[in-house]
Each structure stands twice: as structure tokens, then as C-alpha cells.
Amino acid sequence: MIRKPVAGVQRAEMGGVTRPVHDPTLVLLHGWGFSGAVWAPLRAKLPAGTRVLAPDLPGHGAAGDGWRLADAEGAAAALIAALPADVEYPVWAGWSLGGLVALAAARQWTGPQGLVLIGATPRFIRNDDWPAALPLDELEDFRAALGGDRRRLNRRLAMLCARGSPDAASLARALADRMQAAPASPDGLAAGLDLLQGADLRAAWAGVQAPVACWLEPEDALVPVAVEAGLTSLRPDGRIGRGAGGHADWWARPQRLAGFVSEFLDHCSAGESA
């Protein structure tokens, strides 16, 4: 287990609001091919004073060491080591691939915390006892495309993320532009595919001693909404929220997800103070 040392200060300034440092800090972890900047629409809808961190995962955005992303535990350890020293109560919130790093971070952290999966699952690849997941050949198709034209790869991923949303074409263009503005490195993309293919963090979801929640979209092309059955069987106490579109519909319509996350943060705060 890893625990960041806590600074001796008792209060911190955030957005002009004085707040106790033991209040939850929302740690947003992005998906494959994106960067921490993808969270801008959601951050804009969170209540004023919410403390938010949105780091770039290895090999994505401005972060180097892309190879680290192949191992969820190693990526999580590096994430925890880089947190500000006054983060006492992280709420890990991972979208897509970021959910795997969030799960690993929750398993390593000792102390108060929370965990939210956003269009994410502890196992992305289908097998006999986890049927609501991707077939392996879909990831292999992306792996085969890594050496080709990056813009084409970005468009393909963006279209999958936007599928099922009412304005899928415009959403896909915006997501592709977002990836192009902060491109992931080739080693970061390859390592991310290794993580998606090999990780099975169901034990972390089932065993973490903290409040947990998951946000699912009914038309998600990457994380089938039917995964809810598996998630709730492992964690009957988990909160489930539902959107109305595809994998990245929250990006175009962040208000509903912002409300869900905000309520979960309040729930974590109430539990800590009880």
C-alpha cells in the first residue's frame, strides 16, 4: 500500500474558497489517446470550489515514460508519487482506460478515498465469465493501425467514442481535434493497448474499502452497458449512474455526469465526517 505524506497545513485555498484539506480531491484520469485536457467540459460544470487534478497519463499529453502505462500498478504508483503532498482524500475518477489506473490507485492507497469508473470496466476484454466486454480482435485492429497515419487513427477512435450520441459526427470531429492538439506518443499508445488487453482488476473493484460508483452510457460502443450486472454482482453497494448516449457523450453534455460526480463527492465527504 502507498500513502502520500500529508502536509502539515490544515486548510488550502482553491478557486478563492478556503476549504479543509481533508475534503475530497477529484483526480480525473483520461482515456487512451487523450490527455488531461479532455476533462475541460466536465470541470466547467462542477461546483465552484471543487478541488480537481487532471494529470496526463504516461505517454499522453505532456507526460513521458509511455512504457509505464502497460502496467496499471506501476502507472498508479507513479501517479500517487506525483500528487501534491496535501492530498489526503483522493477520489479517483477514470474514464475508459483511465478507469484501470484509477482501480490500481485505489488498491494502493491507504486512507480515505473514493472511486468512480466513467465508461470504464475492470476488464475490457471479453471472456467466459465476463461477457459484457470487447472481443480481443477489436483491440488488435487498433494495434495494427498504430504504425499508420495518426490523424486516421484519431478519427477512428473518435468515431467509436461518439457512436450512439445524437450529434455523433460533430462530437467525433471535436474529439479528434482534441487528440491532435495533445498527441499521445507511439510508446504510450502501444503500452495503453497492452494495459487494455491484459488488465483484470475485478478484485480491486470488489475489494477496495471505499465508496465506489460507475457511470454507464446505453449506447457505449466500447464498454457495453450490460457490464452493470457484473459490476453490481461484485459490489452491490456501488452507485450506478446512467447517461443517454455513447462512450464520450459526457464530453458534449457534461451536466448530468457533473451532477453525478458532485453527489458522489458529497457522499464521500459525509461518510468521512460521520
Side-chain angles (χ1 to χ4, degrees):
M1 294 287 187
I2 298 175
R3 177 70 190 270
K4 281 286 293 182
V6 177
V9 297
Q10 296 301 309
R11 304 189 74 82
E13 297 292 328
M14 197 68 192
V17 178
T18 302
R19 51 178 296 282
V21 295
H22 64 262
D23 281 356
T25 297
L26 184 62
V27 184
L28 296 169
L29 303 175
H30 61 80
W32 185 70
F34 290 89
S35 71
V38 77
W39 294 109
L42 178 67
R43 296 181 69 165
K45 296 298 183 181
L46 292 170
T50 304
R51 190 184 192 192
V52 182
L53 302 174
D56 293 335
L57 292 175
H60 287 65
D65 296 332
W67 56 272
R68 288 187 183 274
L69 195 55
D71 172 49
E73 301 297 336
L79 167 68
I80 290 171
L83 289 178
D86 66 344
V87 174
E88 289 187 296
Y89 193 158
V91 172
W92 318 102
W95 173 50
S96 199
L97 172 146
L100 296 173
V101 181
L103 282 159
R107 181 155 63 183
Q108 293 180 31
W109 187 266
T110 302
Q113 62 176 329
L115 172 66
V116 186
L117 302 183
I118 300 169
T121 169
R123 181 184 172 95
F124 275 82
I125 297 301
R126 181 185 305 164
N127 71 356
D128 291 343
D129 65 350
W130 198 252
L134 290 172
L136 178 59
D137 58 6
E138 290 199 25
L139 279 192
E140 292 300 335
D141 286 346
F142 273 102
R143 194 181 299 278
L146 285 182
D149 180 77
R150 173 61 66 83
R151 288 182 180 274
R152 189 173 187 177
L153 177 64
N154 289 350
R155 287 195 298 270
R156 181 179 174 186
L157 176 59
M159 286 189 289
L160 274 176
C161 290
R163 185 184 298 173
S165 296
D167 49 356
S170 60
L171 176 56
R173 287 192 295 271
L175 292 171
D177 289 344
R178 180 66 270 166
M179 282 185 279
Q180 193 64 33
S185 66
D187 62 334
L189 290 173
L193 288 179
D194 289 341
L195 177 60
L196 289 166
Q197 179 175 333
D200 187 340
L201 288 160
R202 286 178 286 180
W205 171 256
V208 63
Q209 298 298 304
V212 299
C214 185
W215 179 264
L216 298 171
E217 297 282 355
E219 303 299 328
D220 197 325
L222 296 170
V223 177
V225 70
V227 78
E228 179 181 345
L231 293 171
T232 55
S233 70
L234 293 171
R235 284 299 295 261
D237 63 320
R239 295 183 167 213
I240 303 294
R242 298 171 186 81
H247 191 62
D249 193 68
W250 64 266
W251 198 86
R253 279 161 287 280
Q255 187 64 56
R256 291 179 67 178
L257 177 57
F260 179 75
V261 171
S262 179
E263 288 179 6
F264 185 71
L265 291 172
D266 289 343
H267 169 67
C268 291
S269 295
E272 173 65 8
S273 61

